[in-house]
Amino acid sequence: MTKTINTRLLAGTIVAILFVALPAGATSPGVPQVNLAIAQPSGDAKTGQADTQTTPAPDTVDLAALYYYARNGEAERVEAETRRLERKFPGFAPPADLYAPDAGGHVDETTLWQLYERDDYAGIEQEISRIAASHPGWEPSEDFRSKLERRKLRFAMTRANEAKDFVTVIRLGAKLDPAQETEIDLLWMMLDAYRANDMQEGLTAVYRGILFRTAEKAFSDELVLTTLQKAMEDIPAADLRAAIRALSADPELALSMRSLSLDLMRRELGDFASGVAGAPQPGPEVIAAVRTAAETTQAPEDLALMGWYMLKIEQPDQAANFFQRMLQKKVTPEAVRGMTLSLSHQSKDEEAYTFVTAHLDVLSGEDTFLLDQLSFPFKGEGKTDIDERVVTRYSEAIQKTESSDHARLIGWYAYNSRQFEPARAWFAKAFQWTAEADSLKGLALTLTRLGEKKALAELREKYGEAYQTVFAELKSAAEPRERSGKSVSAPAGVQAGYLSRLQKKDYGGCVSELRRLESKTALRPDAQVAKGWCLLGLNHLAEARQAFTVGLAGGGGKADDAAYGLGLTLLRANLTDDAEALLMQHSLTPLRDRELRAELLWQRARAAFDQKQYRVTLEALNARLQIMPEAVGISQMRAWSHYHLGNLAQSRAIFAQLNQVMADPANTRGIAAINERMGVSQ
């Protein structure tokens, strides 16, 4: 075992040299790009020498857990608790009566442990209050407190993970140290959450923490192997090879990792096919191995890999064969996309269009893909054989992706078939999304055909100087020929995909859509504000601040959304001075202004309380009370501030009043502490 741990530690040192970061912007469709640049693990923590000064002996509270474990015959826990007390109280020796029938004079925590096993956290708080009232000055043992916090964390993370509430998983898991955590299933939950939200830095940190850690924290070979299998979905093949090469310093693990050979070949083929930057063309042995797997098992994943690879090397006829086999097993969006592109690459555009329109129901979430495929009939002159479903679905896809190019294309189709009202709406949308001369020309021509002289004059006044050529060409523009066309409706107010995802709290998907849009054109101010909200939902505070700042400068968002979002971001980052400056510079609605100011004052009160500046705490809380009612937790801080300042009667009155409103164990404990200090009998 020692040999295994030492070679694992050596591997961590090597891999820092081996791993090479991918260039910024490299992407792999369907696979988040991750640079698994694993740093050298830190060495063992230095053990400090025991303090030689006299330290107080443990009291009954300190000894409570020790007696509890002894009474229940839990020898290992007795030993662990003894070691803890030896560290805390140098020279400590277990009491002579440790195993006596009624030893210790300690507070019995049996009921707490029973509630603990049932995950009854509300019951635990009530029981702590009951015991504290009977034993002034008592607190639950350190062992119980630490285990309770840990169990609550596991319970909450597991429940959020099962509900696929990945944002909550990430928030809760922020307390975990990937390099120190001993329960690997919690780290695997974090991997799932980071993957769902396309958070590559988080993925990198967790993989690094699992695979390369200090000697005493190393996971078993089996768990490392399982983690590497998970990494096949997230990590580029070059980085995976470097990791496996480094980990192979352990002969036993190297033997186990041979089972990953085919998976790694699949990843290499996938990286090349999807255009991962720097991914080399796979060698013949890799192609042969994946092809054999595809033809032997007919697994959709392997068939798809071979199909995309054949498209990449410009052999669309072979690609079509692989995608056809996929379709025979099950009609999936990937199979439909692959077959459509295979036909298009063979210049069979009409056939590709017919195929994709026959599978519109399968492609409900494929708006970006559908744009180019459904635009085919709108590009040709005189085409009228367009199914009404196609027009509707094409219109929806345009609005969800906010594609100005396709909005302009459907605008010209409507214009040339003399459907001027919908043409006007589509040209206006196209110009709103991206200000381009051709969209403005279409809008101006449409207004001319509609006889909207006033609207045309306003358009000329607003854009005439910047687009002189557009307006100069209006007089010579020919009327569209009389011809029929499939009826086109004006934009129906379908919400952009990123806004729908924002409403559903799919923050990772929202950011991904906006980044795809941003790669084609600069985001409008209102889109920047939406991006800020999505980034704030992921707690990416620096990026959210930048997005809100850009949106605010461009006048984006509804009313004061940008300033409000920026204020919340600053406060979440504890930048109270910046938040206060923002409130001075920008006017918000009264409600939002009060909300931000109340949060600002609350943060200042908490900071002062932590620094034991209790008068400053009360000043901030008093100022906050002028603009916003107090929640129970805030009033409890007010009561404790008075307690520390010696205002015991006032503190007791606040706790008592809170207890009348809502029975809270924290209030009971506060009253008990005040009574003890005042010498009042229970």
Side-chain angles (χ1 to χ4, degrees):
M1 182 61 185
T2 303
K3 180 181 178 182
T4 300
I5 291 176
N6 289 342
T7 52
R8 187 79 49 77
L9 182 59
L10 175 61
T13 305
I14 295 172
V15 82
I17 302 172
L18 292 177
F19 280 12
V20 179
L22 289 176
T27 59
S28 174
V31 182
Q33 172 197 340
V34 180
N35 168 29
L36 189 65
I38 299 176
Q40 176 179 351
S42 58
D44 295 347
K46 294 181 179 179
T47 304
Q49 297 181 349
D51 191 343
T52 58
Q53 297 179 0
T54 302
T55 56
D59 58 18
T60 56
V61 174
D62 291 307
L63 294 172
L66 188 64
Y67 279 106
Y68 174 82
Y69 296 141
R71 186 173 67 255
N72 287 282
E74 298 178 75
E76 290 183 2
R77 286 191 168 185
V78 169
E79 291 177 7
E81 186 66 5
T82 300
R83 288 194 297 271
R84 184 187 72 80
L85 292 170
E86 286 173 346
R87 289 193 300 270
K88 186 174 181 180
F89 305 100
F92 168 79
D97 65 342
L98 183 59
Y99 291 96
D102 295 313
H106 63 281
V107 175
D108 187 358
E109 292 186 340
T110 301
T111 54
L112 292 178
W113 288 106
Q114 291 170 344
L115 293 166
Y116 169 91
E117 291 299 334
R118 296 202 298 267
D119 291 317
D120 185 357
Y121 303 118
I124 287 173
E125 288 295 328
Q126 293 174 2
E127 183 64 8
I128 287 174
S129 297
R130 185 190 68 77
I131 297 174
S134 303
H135 301 80
W138 170 84
E139 290 286 344
S141 65
E142 181 180 327
D143 180 69
F144 181 80
R145 287 199 303 270
S146 62
K147 285 184 171 59
L148 176 62
E149 287 304 311
R150 180 65 181 190
R151 191 175 181 98
K152 288 167 71 175
L153 175 65
R154 165 173 282 283
F155 181 79
M157 283 189 68
T158 302
R159 187 166 56 181
N161 186 66
E162 290 172 349
K164 298 190 181 303
D165 181 3
F166 294 122
V167 172
T168 297
V169 172
I170 291 169
R171 177 177 56 79
L172 294 169
K175 301 175 182 178
L176 304 178
D177 180 353
Q180 302 293 324
E181 177 56 48
T182 58
E183 298 181 80
I184 198 169
D185 63 320
L186 296 180
L187 296 178
W188 288 342
M189 290 180 197
M190 293 297 293
L191 289 176
D192 292 340
Y194 283 135
R195 184 185 305 114
N197 285 289
D198 196 18
M199 297 174 69
Q200 291 122 8
E201 289 183 10
L203 277 167
T204 301
V206 175
Y207 277 120
R208 183 173 60 238
I210 294 174
L211 296 175
F212 302 102
R213 23 173 63 207
T214 55
E216 73 278 6
K217 296 291 185 180
F219 285 118
S220 69
D221 289 357
E222 182 181 357
L223 295 179
V224 169
L225 188 65
T226 301
T227 301
L228 284 170
Q229 290 170 333
K230 292 178 177 291
M232 292 293 170
E233 184 178 346
D234 303 320
I235 311 300
D239 289 341
L240 282 168
R241 279 209 179 276
I244 291 172
R245 189 162 55 244
L247 290 169
S248 294
D250 176 351
E252 294 181 10
L253 182 57
L255 186 63
S256 300
M257 289 190 297
R258 289 183 182 178
S259 63
L260 299 175
S261 177
L262 181 57
D263 286 336
L264 189 55
M265 290 180 179
R266 290 180 173 118
R267 185 60 206 257
E268 286 178 328
L269 197 68
D271 285 354
F272 174 75
S274 56
V276 171
Q281 182 163 353
E285 71 285 354
V286 173
I287 300 167
V290 178
R291 181 191 285 270
T292 299
E295 293 176 344
T296 302
T297 66
Q298 297 288 303
E301 296 82 2
D302 291 330
L303 291 170
L305 266 178
M306 289 304 303
W308 294 121
Y309 172 73
M310 290 302 173
L311 275 178
K312 179 72 173 180
I313 62 173
E314 298 297 334
Q315 294 188 24
D317 54 337
Q318 290 197 45
N321 290 333
F322 286 108
F323 288 121
Q324 183 60 46
R325 290 187 222 175
M326 285 184 69
L327 289 165
Q328 289 171 355
K329 295 182 76 68
K330 186 178 181 180
V331 178
T332 63
E334 184 175 25
V336 172
R337 289 199 317 271
M339 178 57 75
T340 303
L341 293 175
S342 298
L343 293 169
S344 296
H345 282 223
Q346 296 177 72
S347 299
K348 299 179 179 179
D349 294 334
E350 187 92 38
E351 193 174 337
Y353 171 75
T354 302
F355 178 78
V356 80
T357 54
H359 294 90
L360 286 179
D361 56 329
V362 181
L363 300 170
S364 59
E366 304 285 339
D367 298 297
T368 302
F369 172 74
L370 285 175
L371 286 177
D372 288 331
Q373 305 309 318
L374 297 185
S375 65
F376 172 72
F378 295 93
K379 295 175 181 177
E381 295 212 6
K383 279 204 171 284
T384 57
D385 53 340
I386 307 175
D387 192 290
E388 187 175 339
R389 294 182 312 125
V390 173
V391 179
T392 301
R393 187 67 185 89
Y394 185 43
S395 300
E396 290 176 355
I398 293 171
Q399 293 177 85
K400 287 181 179 179
T401 58
E402 296 191 346
S403 171
S404 58
D405 291 340
H406 289 275
R408 186 166 58 252
L409 179 61
I410 199 172
W412 283 119
Y413 175 85
Y415 177 83
N416 288 324
S417 56
R418 304 189 69 83
Q419 301 179 64
F420 296 130
E421 283 294 352
R424 172 186 186 174
W426 281 112
F427 284 130
K429 274 292 183 187
F431 192 73
Q432 174 192 341
W433 290 334
T434 305
E436 292 180 335
D438 195 46
S439 299
L440 184 64
K441 180 179 179 180
L443 179 57
L445 281 172
T446 305
L447 292 174
T448 301
R449 304 306 170 214
L450 288 169
E452 296 277 359
K453 295 182 180 180
K454 182 179 179 181
L456 181 62
E458 291 174 351
L459 197 68
R460 187 191 301 272
E461 182 179 355
K462 191 172 184 179
Y463 299 109
E465 186 173 345
Y467 296 91
Q468 295 181 15
T469 305
V470 168
F471 291 96
E473 293 173 350
L474 293 182
K475 293 181 180 179
S476 59
E479 282 242 16
R481 295 192 298 261
E482 283 283 355
R483 65 172 186 170
S484 61
K486 207 66 175 180
S487 178
V488 174
S489 299
V494 175
Q495 199 170 47
Y498 62 85
L499 290 175
S500 297
R501 290 182 180 274
L502 173 58
Q503 288 183 348
K504 296 174 184 175
K505 298 185 179 180
D506 177 11
Y507 302 123
C510 169
V511 172
S512 295
E513 285 207 24
L514 283 164
R515 283 176 176 161
R516 283 196 294 270
L517 182 61
E518 200 168 14
S519 67
K520 299 176 182 178
T521 183
L523 294 181
R524 301 188 315 279
D526 60 313
Q528 285 283 3
V529 174
K531 183 180 178 183
W533 286 116
C534 294
L535 289 166
L536 183 59
L538 292 171
N539 210 34
H540 290 187
L541 301 183
E543 292 180 90
R545 180 180 182 181
Q546 175 65 19
F548 282 127
T549 300
V550 173
L552 183 59
K558 296 178 181 178
D560 55 355
D561 271 4
Y564 178 61
L566 180 56
L568 289 177
T569 304
L570 294 171
L571 289 172
R572 188 175 293 186
N574 294 318
L575 298 173
T576 51
D577 290 342
D578 289 344
E580 187 170 30
L582 175 76
L583 289 171
M584 294 176 65
Q585 295 167 7
H586 298 277
S587 297
L588 284 80
T589 61
L591 178 60
R592 286 181 165 179
D593 185 87
R594 288 198 305 273
E595 183 181 336
L596 291 183
R597 291 184 188 280
E599 178 61 24
L600 190 155
L601 290 166
W602 169 232
Q603 286 195 11
R604 288 185 169 163
R606 282 187 299 179
F609 188 86
D610 291 342
Q611 296 169 13
K612 299 183 179 181
Q613 299 174 352
Y614 302 115
R615 292 192 186 281
V616 176
T617 301
L618 288 173
E619 289 173 2
L621 292 181
N622 289 338
R624 186 189 181 282
L625 189 58
Q626 299 300 312
I627 58 175
M628 190 78 70
E630 281 187 355
V632 171
I634 299 177
S635 293
Q636 287 171 343
M637 178 181 283
R638 177 185 294 279
W640 283 116
S641 296
H642 281 297
Y643 173 87
H644 289 298
L645 290 171
N647 305 328
L648 301 184
Q650 196 165 354
S651 177
R652 193 180 195 286
I654 295 172
F655 278 128
Q657 185 177 12
L658 290 173
N659 224 23
Q660 291 177 356
V661 176
M662 182 179 68
D664 186 338
N667 299 330
T668 307
R669 288 199 295 273
I671 293 171
I674 295 168
N675 288 341
E676 181 182 10
R677 187 168 169 183
M678 296 175 69
V680 178
S681 59
Q682 300 295 320

